[in-house]
Amino acid sequence: MQEVKISQETINAEIKVYQEFIDEWKQELLQVQSDLEKCKERVSLLNELQKHVTPGSRTETVKANIDLVVNEVVELTKKEFRLDGNIKTYQEFVIELNKML
C-alpha cells in the first residue's frame, strides 16, 4: 500500500512538472505568435512601400529590410512549430500519466 501511495505521489509530481513546462511554453508561444503577426504586418507594409519608392538606394534599403523581416518570420515560424510540438508531446505525457493513477 505504501508503494502505491509513493507511486501516485511521484506521478502527481511529474504531472505538475510537465504542466509547468506546458504553461511556460504556451505563454512563450503566444508571444511568438504575436511577434509573428507583427513581422507579417511589417513585410506587408514594406512591400507596399517598395511600390512607391523611387529607384536607387532607397529601393535597395527597402529590399534589405524586407529580407531581414522575412528571415525573422522564418525563425519565428520554426520556433512556433517547435513550441507547439513540445506542448503536444508533454500533453500526451500528462494524459498517459493520468491513466496510471
Side-chain angles (χ1 to χ4, degrees):
M1 190 67 164
Q2 183 72 14
E3 288 179 28
V4 171
K5 184 177 181 183
I6 291 172
S7 178
Q8 286 178 337
E9 288 174 3
T10 302
I11 291 170
N12 283 328
E14 285 184 54
I15 289 171
K16 183 178 178 184
V17 169
Y18 285 142
Q19 195 59 52
E20 288 173 3
F21 278 117
I22 291 168
D23 292 342
E24 283 181 37
W25 287 331
K26 282 182 177 180
Q27 288 301 313
E28 191 175 348
L29 182 59
L30 289 174
Q31 184 60 50
V32 167
Q33 289 170 334
S34 173
D35 291 347
L36 196 52
E37 284 306 309
K38 290 175 190 171
C39 283
K40 288 177 181 178
E41 284 179 36
R42 285 174 37 211
V43 168
S44 178
L45 290 171
L46 286 166
N47 280 329
E48 190 62 32
L49 178 62
Q50 186 176 18
K51 294 176 188 175
H52 301 288
V53 294
T54 56
S57 62
R58 289 186 193 147
T59 304
E60 294 305 314
T61 301
V62 172
K63 285 180 183 177
N65 283 324
I66 290 171
D67 290 344
L68 286 173
V69 177
V70 167
N71 288 340
E72 192 174 345
V73 167
V74 168
E75 290 305 313
L76 287 169
T77 302
K78 287 178 186 177
K79 190 172 186 179
E80 179 184 40
F81 182 76
R82 182 183 50 80
L83 287 168
D84 190 53
N86 288 352
I87 291 167
K88 287 178 181 172
T89 299
Y90 274 52
Q91 286 173 333
E92 290 173 14
F93 290 158
V94 169
I95 289 168
E96 291 303 314
L97 288 168
N98 274 318
K99 289 178 183 178
M100 296 169 69
L101 292 175

